[in-house]
Amino acid sequence: MGRYGYDGNGLPSQIDQTEVHMTFVHPSFGQIDDSRTIIFDTTLRDGEQSPGFSMNLEEKLRMAEALADLGVDVIEAGFPVASKGDFESVSEIARIVRGAVVCALARSGGRNDIQAAGEAIAHAERGRIHNFISTSPLHMKYKLRMEPETVLEIITEGNKAARNLTDDVEWSAEDGSRTEPDFLCRCVEAAIKAGATTINIPDTVGYATPEDMEKIFAMLKARVPGADSVIFSAHNHNDLGLGVANTLASLRGGARQIECTINGIGERAGNAALEEIVMAIRTRNDQYPYTNRIVTEKLLRLSRMLATITGFDVQPNKAIVGRNAFAHESGIHQDGILKNAATYEIMTPESVGWSKTSLVMGKHSGRAAFRDKLVALGYGEMADDRLNDAFARFKDLADRKKVVYDEDIVALVDDEARDHARIRFHGLEVSSGSKRPAEATLEIEVDGEMIEASATGNGPVDAAFHAIRSAFPHDARLALYSVGAVTEGTDAQARTTVRLEEDGRLVDGQGADADTVVSAVRAYLHALNKLLVKRTRAEPEALEA
């Protein structure tokens, strides 16, 4: 893999970039070439730890099946020991999803963790246990309160226990980028000897630079006995905005598995974004001569599906999947694009799933065309009852708007595409004015029971929110209320975001409707349903990786 010299910190000071393509036999993938990059998606585990994000079982299954269809190699489905709900979701994904390895997270020192992970993946076509423990001086002293030798013992015990349950075992050095090089080498060697087949070095707090990550992987491959018998993996957080850059640098250093999430969601500032990494490799294959299985034309679909499920839209200028990613307003740019798209576009919009136009539907469009459109927009196949509800809302909107854009369709069906297991909106009547308090009468379905409630308030939205509290009493605090327009014009739909806080848990909900107050109620109910999911989950210690 090249020749290395080492500086005073034990890191390579010079790297020989001579390409040497090797083959490696992996328990889940068989014989793979050194140019092959394994895509490990942790949207359902690390991504869901984002404040305000939560998914129920049906939503996780939709995402998992779509990720497998995208071409993801490994799907990290969750942390089974965290709660009964997490165990059930990992187990169900393992039972249903085909075409990808289903991975369960566990702490190296948690015997119940590893046993739970093994049971959760028992029915997987291909299953993996991913165990981890902190290795940096800071984490060992203040978080684990352990001596280095104890950590080494736990690494050995944890990986042996995992290997007894599955042939595919991954080990992660939490806060690996801030771990002393010599100790990191000892930890990796111990994990390999104990049976780990993938070694992950996370930049857990997003502190590292690309130069750091390249050197770390090059060092481990050069110094650790048995390094040529495992796959090295990179998991980079985005606290300094370097997640993608650090991941690409890790590939240069010898990593061949990339851990990432759709839309870059994750703890704090998020993870390295799958769509950005994949398109960087595809567009600059001269610099990153690696292959993967991702069907890039499906990237936008997955991005929109995740935004629909979580209620979090990507920012307009987000690379690859933001709505402005291929927009050109400057006259000079527009002139160049008209003459030759390559003047200002380094990839085609179609290569990541964008269509040439968003103006496609109207009041004369039929149910079949509407179903096809939803699939194209990333919703997948909806159940007939949901489809009927969404289509009825679409026809109602089409009667009120002259032009219906893709953005309108996405906004109006979001509420129907989400699985509101406990609370569903049915109707709202509001009366308000400048001479008397506003009054709202709300009709919702709670656990299959229809409930009607009325309340007054300082304005129609305030009255509607009081009505929700009356119909479904709760102690959550309204932490954010924000309204925007989906498209332009006075007939545009309102898109509302509501954030609720309860016992330190934050959840965000979104709703859309041509009526601003109705959109606010839909957003509140979406957030409330997500909060109910959050209530069922435990938060085990040392969950971050």
Side-chain angles (χ1 to χ4, degrees):
M1 295 298 294
R3 298 182 300 277
Y4 304 91
Y6 298 93
D7 59 22
N9 295 317
L11 296 175
S13 55
Q14 292 183 343
I15 300 176
D16 181 354
Q17 294 290 348
T18 303
E19 290 289 336
V20 180
H21 288 288
M22 303 172 64
T23 58
F24 171 69
V25 179
H26 189 275
S28 287
F29 305 112
Q31 184 167 302
I32 55 177
D33 189 89
D34 188 51
S35 63
R36 164 77 184 280
T37 302
I38 295 170
I39 304 297
F40 176 113
D41 182 273
T42 184
T43 300
L44 300 180
R45 199 280 300 172
D46 195 328
E48 206 206 7
Q49 290 174 213
S50 306
F53 284 67
S54 62
M55 304 180 208
N56 60 28
L57 176 57
E58 181 177 320
E59 291 165 340
K60 284 190 172 184
L61 282 170
R62 283 180 59 207
M63 278 300 301
E65 290 179 314
L67 287 167
D69 185 55
L70 178 69
V72 164
D73 296 294
V74 184
I75 299 172
E76 189 166 48
F79 193 76
V81 81
S83 70
K84 181 180 178 181
D86 277 57
F87 180 91
E88 290 176 349
S89 64
V90 175
S91 182
E92 191 69 2
I93 290 170
R95 187 179 67 84
I96 291 176
V97 172
R98 294 294 178 264
V101 175
V102 177
C103 175
L105 187 68
R107 291 166 294 190
S108 298
R111 291 189 180 275
N112 291 336
D113 293 40
I114 291 174
Q115 186 63 36
E119 292 174 5
I121 64 168
H123 299 293
E125 181 181 54
R126 290 174 293 163
R128 173 183 295 189
I129 295 176
H130 177 194
N131 72 109
F132 71 95
I133 191 171
S134 296
T135 56
S136 70
L138 188 66
H139 278 219
M140 288 190 293
K141 181 177 181 180
Y142 292 104
K143 188 173 100 170
L144 299 180
R145 301 182 186 279
M146 292 180 183
E147 293 297 320
E149 294 303 318
T150 303
V151 170
L152 283 168
E153 291 174 5
I154 290 174
I155 291 171
T156 297
E157 293 171 2
N159 282 282
K160 283 184 177 180
R163 190 60 188 263
N164 285 334
L165 299 174
T166 179
D167 289 337
D168 192 343
V169 175
E170 177 171 343
W171 176 74
S172 286
E174 184 177 2
D175 206 22
S177 61
R178 296 193 296 177
T179 298
E180 294 175 342
D182 288 344
F183 184 65
L184 184 60
C185 287
R186 294 179 65 196
C187 290
V188 171
E189 183 178 3
I192 294 172
K193 285 183 177 180
T197 53
T198 298
I199 301 295
N200 181 41
I201 309 299
D203 183 27
T204 303
V205 295
Y207 177 76
T209 66
E211 292 78 12
D212 294 334
M213 296 310 299
E214 183 175 357
K215 287 182 177 181
I216 287 171
F217 283 103
M219 172 199 70
L220 293 172
K221 290 183 74 67
R223 291 180 57 182
V224 175
D228 58 351
S229 67
V230 298
I231 290 176
F232 281 89
S233 178
H235 180 124
N236 293 291
H237 280 263
N238 205 40
D239 297 72
L240 294 176
L242 295 173
V244 171
N246 284 346
T247 301
L248 295 173
S250 299
L251 288 174
R252 286 183 179 273
R256 288 298 180 268
Q257 177 176 279
I258 291 169
E259 304 198 5
C260 46
T261 61
I262 300 295
N263 293 344
I265 67 170
E267 291 274 5
R268 304 179 311 279
N271 289 274
L274 182 151
E275 61 277 2
E276 296 179 21
I277 296 167
V278 168
M279 291 311 295
I281 292 173
R282 173 169 168 167
T283 305
R284 294 306 310 273
N285 204 241
D286 58 320
Q287 294 294 315
Y288 307 104
Y290 312 114
T291 62
N292 57 70
R293 297 175 56 246
I294 298 299
V295 182
T296 63
E297 291 79 7
K298 297 181 179 181
L299 288 171
L300 181 63
R301 175 186 172 188
L302 263 291
S303 172
R304 284 177 166 170
M305 178 183 289
L306 182 64
T308 295
I309 290 173
T310 62
F312 281 80
D313 290 332
V314 299
Q315 69 268 29
N317 64 331
K318 166 77 168 64
I320 314 299
V321 294
R323 68 172 181 265
N324 290 347
F326 295 93
H328 304 277
E329 186 170 337
S330 164
I332 295 175
H333 286 208
Q334 290 174 342
D335 180 66
I337 287 291
L338 291 172
K339 292 175 179 175
N340 187 323
T343 54
Y344 288 101
E345 288 183 353
I346 59 173
M347 66 194 87
T348 66
E350 294 79 14
S351 69
V352 298
W354 287 97
S355 60
K356 293 181 181 296
T357 177
S358 64
L359 180 60
V360 293
M361 302 292 289
K363 65 180 181 179
H364 298 297
S365 298
R367 188 174 180 274
F370 183 71
R371 181 195 291 270
D372 290 343
K373 186 61 178 177
L374 293 186
V375 172
L377 290 174
Y379 291 96
E381 291 292 339
M382 294 175 67
D384 285 342
D385 58 339
R386 294 285 173 76
L387 179 65
N388 291 338
D389 290 342
F391 184 61
R393 290 184 62 190
F394 161 72
K395 295 294 281 189
D396 178 64
L397 179 66
D399 284 338
R400 288 183 282 170
K401 279 178 63 76
K402 294 180 180 179
V403 177
V404 179
Y405 294 92
D406 282 1
E407 292 85 354
D408 288 310
I409 297 173
V410 168
L412 72 87
V413 300
D414 274 359
D415 192 64
E416 306 302 335
R418 302 178 186 116
D419 179 30
H420 289 178
R422 296 194 60 184
I423 309 173
R424 291 183 60 82
F425 172 78
H426 276 267
L428 177 71
E429 291 185 5
V430 176
S431 61
S432 63
S434 61
K435 296 183 178 181
R436 59 185 176 84
E439 182 176 354
T441 300
L442 174 72
E443 187 178 11
I444 59 175
E445 181 184 337
V446 180
D447 296 331
E449 179 185 356
M450 297 301 299
I451 298 177
E452 184 176 295
S454 297
T456 59
N458 183 22
V461 173
D462 189 46
F465 286 1
H466 283 308
I468 294 174
R469 287 183 177 275
S470 178
F472 188 86
H474 58 279
D475 297 323
R477 179 181 67 88
L478 181 65
L480 173 70
Y481 169 67
S482 175
V483 183
V486 175
T487 55
E488 297 179 352
T490 57
D491 62 350
Q493 292 189 93
R495 173 178 282 152
T496 304
T497 299
V498 165
R499 176 173 296 165
L500 299 180
E501 186 274 330
E502 180 186 69
D503 298 331
R505 303 183 187 95
L506 289 173
V507 292
D508 280 20
Q510 287 189 332
D513 197 273
D515 186 305
T516 303
V517 184
V518 174
S519 77
V521 169
R522 290 185 180 278
Y524 196 111
L525 294 179
H526 180 217
L528 196 54
N529 275 286
K530 291 172 69 175
L531 189 60
L532 297 180
V533 174
K534 284 278 190 180
R535 284 178 180 175
T536 65
R537 292 187 180 159
E539 296 294 337
E541 295 179 10
L543 180 57
E544 192 171 325

